[in-house]
Amino acid sequence: MIKLLSLCKRAMIISSISFVFVSCVACSSGKTEALTIEKEEGAVDQEKSQVLNRMTPKQQVDFSKQDLATRLGLDESAIQISGATPVNWRSGALGCPKPGMSYTDVLVPGVLIYLRVGNTAYRYHAIPNGQPFYCPKEWAEPPAVGPGAD
């Protein structure tokens, strides 16, 4: 009986090590999976490159401003920052579900960046330290936890 338990324990350890090894190899392949949002009312194609492009909060805001300036053909000085706040997104869509797509139904920590040009507001969504992406207002969902929520 003790020998059988020992063999079972050894098999579980080997299985666990194999799983971790395969997971590490898959994660270190160097490839970035990206989701592309199709053009919507003149929006430029964009990628949600969240994992391998680590950014500080300042870099996230700067990236968002640069992207919006390019998108609108404006100088960055014309873009004002209305706010940037940590949030919890309601799903893997990060608050910007593409119509017809399915997403994980789990809270995801993230960042919501508001930019403004004149009287028009623009939203950029991200995960912490991830590369932000523009979210058209037609697709935008409110976060589960946001400004003023306790």
Side-chain angles (χ1 to χ4, degrees):
M1 182 67 146
I2 294 176
K3 190 172 185 176
L4 180 61
L5 289 175
S6 178
L7 287 173
C8 288
K9 184 176 178 183
R10 184 176 293 169
M12 288 175 49
I13 291 170
I14 290 170
S15 295
S16 298
I17 291 171
S18 297
F19 176 76
V20 170
F21 176 75
V22 170
S23 298
C24 289
V25 169
C27 291
S28 65
S29 66
K31 295 181 181 177
T32 304
E33 293 284 331
L35 300 174
T36 302
I37 296 179
E38 294 175 6
K39 291 184 181 183
E40 175 85 4
E41 296 183 15
V44 177
D45 285 343
Q46 60 194 351
E47 293 182 348
K48 294 181 183 179
S49 178
Q50 294 289 318
V51 179
L52 297 179
N53 295 324
R54 296 188 58 78
M55 297 181 164
T56 65
K58 181 181 180 339
Q59 289 172 323
Q60 287 179 314
V61 171
D62 291 345
F63 176 88
S64 299
K65 283 183 71 175
Q66 291 168 359
D67 182 76
L68 187 59
T70 300
R71 196 177 285 279
L72 299 177
L74 298 173
D75 188 73
E76 281 186 51
S77 62
I79 299 170
Q80 305 216 336
I81 302 164
S82 293
T85 186
V87 296
N88 283 321
W89 299 117
R90 297 175 188 274
S91 73
L94 304 182
C96 195
K98 181 179 177 182
M101 294 293 294
S102 296
Y103 299 93
T104 57
D105 192 21
V106 62
L107 290 178
V108 178
V111 177
L112 174 58
I113 300 168
Y114 286 105
L115 301 178
R116 183 169 296 283
V117 176
N119 291 327
T120 306
Y122 299 88
R123 297 169 59 116
Y124 278 77
H125 299 201
I127 60 171
N129 302 314
Q131 180 177 308
F133 63 93
Y134 169 71
C135 182
K137 66 180 178 180
E138 297 81 22
W139 296 355
E141 292 180 335
V145 177
D150 291 326

